[in-house]
Each structure stands twice: as C-alpha cells, then as structure tokens.
Amino acid sequence: MTRQQTKYISKNKSDHALSMHWVVRRWWFAVFMTVLCCIAGRGMAADSSSGDSASQPLQLTISSGAQVVGEEIFLSDIATVTDASDAFMEQIGAISLGRSPQPGKERSLSGRSIERALTAHVNLPFQAKVIIPEWISVHRAFQQLSESSLQKAFAHYVANRLHGIETDIRRFKVRGNDPLPVGKITLSPVENSKKPIMGAVTLQMAVCVDGKDMGRITLSGWVNRYEPVVCATRYVKRGEVLTERDIVLKKVNLAKAPSRLLRDPAKAIGKQVKSSLRAGHAVRYSVLEDPPVIEKGDRVKLLATSGGIQVTTVGIAMDEGREGDQIEVENMRSKKIVVGRVADRSTVEVMF
C-alpha cells in the first residue's frame, strides 16, 4: 500500500469518528430538552390546576322539579348554587316567583320567566354558569288530618258536653278535610250548646295552621246516649194511678227513645195514666196527669158568687174533674144543671 493510500484511509476513519461524536451529542441534547419540557409541563399543569381550583366560576342550577312549603315561591327554593357568597345567596333568596300552589297541588314555571327575574335582580359574576330548564314543576308540601284523630276530637267534644254520661258513637263521617299547609294544626269546636248531644250530631271544627284560619271541617256521627229513666214494672191500664211498686229506674238509649221521658220517680207516683203502659217501657210526661179530685156522682158544695153576695147549696157532680176543670153539677134543691169550676175536692164555684 502506498503512502497516499494510507493517508486517505486514516482521513476516512477520522471523519467517521467526528460524525459519530456529533450524533451522540445531538441525541443527549434531545433527551435533555425532552426531560426539561416534561418537568416544565408538569409544573405549568400544577400551577394551572391550582389556579383553576382557586378561581372556580359560580354555578347556579334550577331544578326541573321542586317542593316548597310557604305561600310564596322564592328563587332559592328551586335553585342549587355552588361557590356563592352569603350576599349572593341572600339576593336570590329574596327573589319572589309568585304565589305557591294550594297545598298538595302543582304549578309550572317557565324557564324564561325565571331567567328574567334572575337578570332583573342579580348581577351575576363573570363566567358564572347558569342552567335553567324550559319548564319547572313546583309542588306545595302539605299535611292532612287523619280520620282517627278527627274522630277522637269529636268524641272528646261529646264527652265534655255530657259530663260522664255513658255514650257510644256510630257512623262517624268527615267533610271538608282538605290538604293543609305544613305547620302546627289547632282545632276548635264551633259551639252549638242549644242542640242536644244525642242521635244525629253535627259539629263544625275551626282549623288553624300556625295561628292562621284555614276554614272549617264538618264532623258528624250518631251518638247513643244511655241514661236512667222511669219505666213501668207491669202492664198499667189507662186511668190507673201509679204507685211506687209500678215504676223503676232503668237505663235506656235516649237516642232511640221517645222524647220527654220522666227521670224522677217522685213525679210519677200518684199520677194517673192517660194511656196504657207496657211492662219495661219508659214513662213520658205526656201520658201522666193528676187524678180527678171530684168523681162523677160525688156530692159537692155549690158556691155561687154575685157581687159581694155568696150563696151555697149542695149538688151532684155529673162529671169527674180536676182542680180548674169545668164540670156540670145538678143543683139538688132546684134540680137544675149548672156549670162550675172545680175549686177543690168538695167545692165547685158557679159564677152568675
């Protein structure tokens, strides 16, 4: 090999080594820059994440369905707000959207009306996110009195009116028990003390919720009322006079008994019955009367009065009569029939 050839070969080897050196340097530079970019990227991402969490925008979301308690619908009743200040919450809490539906009922609100109310009363922060559906259904919360509680109130009223008298209640009914607003319920009976508490009884109850008048509920039922009354112990024929052995006190259901029953045995003893009584039947005032003080055929004193002059004679009663009754009497002296008023057991007064 010649010298020139050797020099050429050496030169080629040197160029090759230099080329490999620059390739390695460039590779390491690329790796370094890649690592540096990753580190910088992670730092920027961390800074960005930290910045985003610190400046999260306010979000206001209107629910498509909500329940309210009060008589008025406020924006805060149907809105959910994140990352809002207390002042902002007070603002939306004061925005009225109109009256609530009746308890237990629903009302629909349009998304546009809510948007107008929101923009008219609140300055939304920059980049705030607001989500409002096209329609919102608002339901009014309610409560309702149970029939058992109303029946208990009815029974309590009956017991207070009758002061311990034995009763039982049948066929209880309720009218007007409509849904009520949420709150404390108070019931007050509307008194009607003139009507007797037995048989078909109707009671009006005034209803208040948190002191506000909510109208009336009508309660009704059949009240059986059991009290002792005078009853016959045997069959008593018309015209007989009652004795102590003929009567007894017996508890009966006044709701199914005749009216004006006798309760005091003393008022029956010595009275004459105008119609027959069956054994066990209650005695009414209307079948009793005083026995006649003068019987037909009795000798009586006729007392005639004219001005200041009185004339007496003897007569025969043509009728039986009680004090105050007018009866016919035959004047035994003149044989004439006159009409006079029974004064007592032996005297008939004749007016001229």
Side-chain angles (χ1 to χ4, degrees), residues 139-169:
H139 179 267
R140 177 83 176 273
F142 73 98
Q143 59 181 333
Q144 197 161 21
L145 291 163
S146 66
E147 184 168 315
S148 61
S149 67
L150 292 172
Q151 186 168 3
K152 185 177 179 180
F154 184 78
H156 182 71
Y157 170 79
V158 170
N160 282 346
R161 282 285 306 274
L162 297 182
H163 304 294
I165 296 174
E166 182 184 349
T167 61
D168 67 69
I169 299 170

Side-chain angles (χ1 to χ4, degrees), residues 77-98:
D77 294 330
I78 62 173
T80 301
V81 186
T82 58
D83 297 310
S85 64
D86 293 340
F88 182 82
M89 294 303 296
E90 288 182 7
Q91 278 187 305
I92 68 166
I95 298 175
S96 173
L97 302 176

Side-chain angles (χ1 to χ4, degrees), residues 195-261:
K195 190 172 182 180
I197 303 298
M198 64 179 180
V201 176
T202 300
L203 173 65
Q204 296 284 325
M205 297 290 278
V207 184
C208 291
V209 176
D210 291 336
K212 184 176 180 180
D213 182 20
M214 301 305 299
R216 295 183 178 184
I217 295 177
T218 302
L219 311 180
S220 62
W222 180 271
V223 179
N224 290 321
R225 175 175 170 174
Y226 303 93
E227 291 190 66
V229 298
V230 176
C231 295
T233 59
R234 65 176 181 87
Y235 178 74
V236 181
K237 293 188 295 185
R238 176 185 176 183
E240 286 192 71
V241 177
L242 295 174
T243 66
E244 188 174 354
R245 290 179 298 178
D246 297 328
I247 57 175
V248 67
L249 280 176
K250 180 181 176 182
K251 191 175 285 188
V252 300
N253 182 5
L254 297 184
K256 296 183 178 180
S259 60
R260 289 183 56 78
L261 296 181

